Amino acid sequence: MRVRDVMTPDPACCTPESTAAEAAILMRDNDCGSIPVVQDRSSLRVVGTVTDRDLAIRVLAEGKGGDTTVRQIMTEGPTTALPEDEVEVVREVMIAQQVRRVPVVNEDGRLVGIVAQADIALEDGAASDQEVGRIVEAISDPRPDLEE
C-alpha cells in the first residue's frame, strides 16, 4: 500500500510568520494536532511543523502569548514522505523518530498531504486490533531502542 492511499490530501498549513493563535485556530477548525509549516503560500515548501504540544510547552508554559510567531516554536526540517512511498517505510520512520504525523510532499517538495499514526494503524494491512495496538505503542514508546 502507498502513502497516497492513506494520507489526508491538502492539509491545513501555516507559515513561519503565522502566530501561535492562528496555528491553534487551524488545529481547532481542522480537528488536528499538527500543522505543517510552509515557506510561503505559493511554494508550499515544507520547512517545519507545529504541534499542539509545541503550543502548550513553547508558548503557554513559557508565558508567551498568542502573538508568538510559529517560527519561534516550530520544529524545523521535518521528515517528509512522497505519495509513492510504501506505507511500511513511513510506519518505520514514525517508530524510529517518534513522530505521529508526517507531511507528504510531491517531487518538487510541495505539500500535498499528511499521514498520521491513525492512518497507518487503520490501513488495511494492519487488520487486527492487536497489530493496531502494537503500531500505536511503538510510535508512542519514548525509548524504542532500549531493551529491559
Side-chain angles (χ1 to χ4, degrees):
M1 184 165 285
R2 304 286 180 182
V3 168
R4 71 174 161 267
D5 300 321
V6 299
M7 73 179 195
T8 298
D10 303 315
C13 61
C14 63
T15 68
E17 291 73 35
S18 299
T19 65
E22 291 167 339
I25 290 167
L26 282 172
M27 289 178 197
R28 179 197 66 199
D29 292 351
N30 291 278
D31 191 27
C32 62
S34 178
I35 301 287
V37 181
V38 295
Q39 184 175 353
D40 55 60
R41 299 273 180 198
S42 60
S43 76
L44 291 182
R45 181 171 301 280
V46 176
V47 295
T49 59
V50 63
T51 67
D52 48 7
R53 188 170 196 281
D54 293 330
L55 295 174
I57 303 300
R58 297 178 180 169
V59 179
L60 292 176
E62 296 293 324
K64 297 177 182 173
D67 60 344
T68 302
T69 63
V70 167
R71 181 182 310 283
Q72 295 173 275
I73 60 171
M74 72 183 196
T75 299
E76 294 184 40
T79 299
T80 59
L82 295 169
E84 300 79 29
D85 288 344
E86 291 285 339
V87 167
E88 182 58 32
V89 172
V90 176
R91 178 181 318 182
E92 294 306 318
V93 166
M94 287 178 163
I95 292 169
Q97 296 190 8
Q98 298 290 280
V99 294
R100 291 175 172 82
R101 299 163 193 94
V102 174
V104 181
V105 299
N106 66 14
E107 58 279 349
D108 297 324
R110 185 177 178 87
L111 180 67
V112 296
I114 193 163
V115 63
Q117 167 183 307
D119 300 326
I120 299 284
L122 297 175
E123 58 99 357
D124 290 342
S128 75
D129 289 344
Q130 184 176 8
E131 178 64 6
V132 169
R134 185 196 70 75
I135 294 164
V136 171
E137 180 180 9
I139 292 171
S140 300
D141 184 354
R143 299 181 347 209
D145 296 326
L146 298 180
E147 304 260 340
E148 294 189 30

